[in-house]
Amino acid sequence: MKNLFGAIEAGGTKFVCAVGTGPDDITEVRFPTTTPEETLGKALAFFAPYKGQLKSIGIGSFGPVDLQRNSPTYGFVTSTPKPGWADTEFAGVFARLFDLPVGFDTDVNGAALGEQRWGAAQGLDNFIYITMGTGIGGGVVAGGKLIHGLVHPELGHMFVPKQPDDTFAGQCPYHGDKCFEGVAAGPAIGARWGTPAHELPADHPAWDLQARYVASALASLVCSFSPQRIILGGGVMGQTHMLNSVREKTVQVLNGYIQSPAILENINEYLVLPGLGDKAGILGAMVLAEQAFDNR
């Protein structure tokens, strides 16, 4: 009998909760992210019928989050701009109620693990997973393991050069128009153009500007981490016409400096969409659950 795991992909817009054993065996539910009390209550109610059957639960959460196990706020959402969620306990709530090991990490780190196990990063020891949607985040895998450190990578808040034809003041409450998220997340696109990103046509000038910002960020990541591949997920990259533009502009920004065939000859295999599509996050949370069970 296979081990049954619980998984939570906690996004700033929606929660996905699931039980299962892997991509071919998963039962899930989705609901909006509202207040901590309401949202965590719905998640707890989803898992309640499986109490006694689950081996562990994995949580991939929007952040920032506290991942330091010796910290009094380990498993908390910390300084998030998400209204009402700052300093909210998360992992401990599930650990106490279900008396189970709980794996806890950022949602993008979880998605990276999912892609490594079942998706576009299979067989790779060094890669980056980026998601661009309500916010922008990234998970970095180096030497086969996720990078953690002082807190965790915040790739959405890396500074990117302002494009000279962009007069938008930015959307990040911390950095304005200085950081990647502030100029290129879904809400920034909508605020800049006065129309939600998903309603803008493919030939709208928004997408050329967006591709330039993404390319600038990716070039910095290539130079900083030297990944074997970068996976681009999230709703913004759901605009399928974006991918080739991002590839072309990333090569232009790098301007021949990185002398690797992966960049110069095989960019279509270097910058790719998630192999798991929109399941990367929830399946990654399942990997976190599996790791928590193995390390109990």
Side-chain angles (χ1 to χ4, degrees):
M1 184 177 179
K2 292 184 177 180
N3 291 329
L4 188 67
F5 298 109
I8 301 173
E9 179 190 4
T13 301
K14 70 177 184 300
F15 262 51
V16 184
C17 297
V19 295
T21 61
D24 300 322
D25 173 30
I26 187 169
T27 300
E28 68 175 51
V29 65
R30 299 174 177 230
F31 45 86
T33 305
T34 56
T35 65
E37 295 77 12
E38 180 180 19
T39 310
L40 296 183
K42 287 182 177 180
L44 291 166
F46 170 80
F47 290 113
Y50 300 97
K51 192 171 185 179
Q53 302 177 52
L54 296 175
K55 297 298 183 182
S56 58
I57 295 174
I59 300 172
S61 176
F62 67 92
V65 294
D66 188 345
L67 302 179
Q68 303 296 328
R69 288 190 171 273
N70 59 352
S71 167
T73 56
Y74 168 74
F76 278 55
V77 177
T78 58
S79 58
T80 179
K82 178 72 175 172
W85 280 83
D87 304 315
T88 294
E89 186 180 16
F90 197 163
V93 174
F94 289 82
R96 288 192 299 273
L97 184 62
F98 291 96
D99 191 25
L100 290 173
V102 173
F104 186 69
D105 214 314
T106 66
D107 50 355
V108 284
N109 275 352
L113 291 178
E115 288 292 319
Q116 185 180 37
R117 175 72 64 84
W118 294 296
Q122 292 180 77
L124 301 181
D125 290 328
N126 300 278
F127 69 93
I128 295 175
Y129 178 93
I130 299 282
T131 185
M132 289 173 274
T134 305
I136 294 178
V140 181
V141 172
K145 297 182 179 181
L146 287 168
I147 288 182
H148 295 104
L150 185 66
V151 282
H152 48 77
E154 281 285 0
L155 303 188
H157 294 272
M158 59 189 288
F159 281 27
V160 294
K162 187 73 176 282
Q163 293 296 311
D165 57 337
D166 186 14
T167 58
F168 179 57
Q171 194 78 355
C172 176
Y174 293 93
H175 308 124
D177 62 355
K178 303 296 191 298
C179 72
F180 190 17
E181 182 171 297
V183 294
I189 299 171
R192 178 188 285 109
W193 300 103
T195 302
H198 68 273
E199 295 181 11
L200 295 171
D203 60 354
H204 194 281
W207 300 118
D208 177 75
L209 179 62
Q210 179 72 10
R212 282 184 273 149
Y213 276 123
V214 175
S216 292
L218 297 186
S220 293
L221 294 175
V222 169
C223 293
S224 298
F225 294 104
S226 198
Q228 295 166 286
R229 181 170 294 154
I230 299 178
I231 302 168
L232 304 171
V236 172
M237 290 306 300
Q239 308 289 327
T240 55
H241 55 87
M242 275 283 294
L243 185 58
N244 283 335
S245 182
V246 167
R247 288 167 172 161
E248 176 185 337
K249 288 177 169 55
T250 301
V251 172
Q252 291 172 356
V253 174
L254 287 168
N255 201 30
Y257 180 70
I258 304 297
Q259 290 290 305
S260 168
I263 302 291
L264 301 176
E265 301 170 18
N266 298 304
I267 193 68
N268 288 0
E269 297 175 16
Y270 186 72
L271 301 179
V272 301
L273 298 177
L276 299 175
D278 65 358
K279 298 288 188 183
I282 193 62
L283 289 171
M286 198 161 287
V287 177
L288 289 171
E290 193 175 308
Q291 291 179 347
F293 177 67
D294 291 341
N295 296 329
R296 65 194 186 283

